[in-house]
Amino acid sequence: MPHQPMRPLRDTGPSIPKENMALQDELETRSNQVRSAEKKLQHKELEAQEQIMYIRQEYEAKFKGLMPASLRQELEDTISSLKSQVNFLQKRASILQEELTTYQSRR
């Protein structure tokens, strides 16, 4: 295997600007993907909230007075618990998004 001379470290030629442009383009693409995903997530969250409200209204209209108060309370407690879980997951998603943004800005 023939020995090839090492190139000087400072002589990087025109490849660095191309690499920087490629990285810049990739960063922009990833940022756009993140924004798009955030918009989709917000849209899905709104849809889910609307669906929950609709189902709850249906539930209340159909079952009000037809079930024991203890069961009704248990179901309402379940709904409250699920709402808390949704809030927690939304906060977690926000934290993860911030971490992703920080990670991307370091690259």
Side-chain angles (χ1 to χ4, degrees), residues 1-104:
M1 189 166 165
H3 181 269
Q4 295 181 358
M6 291 181 59
R7 293 187 344 196
L9 292 176
R10 291 187 182 157
D11 182 20
T12 57
S15 64
I16 285 183
K18 288 181 184 177
E19 290 174 8
N20 283 345
M21 289 297 290
L23 289 173
Q24 189 78 21
D25 289 345
E26 183 178 346
L27 177 60
E28 189 173 327
T29 298
R30 301 283 184 193
S31 295
N32 288 338
Q33 289 172 344
V34 167
R35 281 191 291 275
S36 176
E38 286 175 336
K39 287 180 183 178
K40 286 180 184 177
L41 176 62
Q42 287 176 344
H43 181 72
K44 292 291 184 185
E45 287 173 348
L46 286 174
E47 283 180 355
Q49 288 174 355
E50 289 173 2
Q51 208 171 17
I52 288 170
M53 287 184 353
Y54 175 76
I55 290 170
R56 185 173 185 153
Q57 288 171 350
E58 272 191 344
Y59 156 80
E60 288 175 353
K62 287 181 182 178
F63 296 106
K64 194 170 190 174
L66 296 179
M67 68 177 69
S70 61
L71 178 58
R72 180 177 175 86
Q73 185 61 49
E74 183 179 326
L75 291 172
E76 288 176 355
D77 291 346
T78 300
I79 290 170
S80 294
S81 174
L82 290 171
K83 284 181 180 179
S84 294
Q85 291 176 32
V86 168
N87 287 335
F88 170 79
L89 291 173
Q90 287 172 333
K91 289 175 185 173
R92 180 71 179 137
S94 176
I95 289 169
L96 290 173
Q97 181 57 50
E98 289 175 17
E99 289 177 2
L100 176 61
T101 302
T102 301
Y103 173 76
Q104 288 177 340

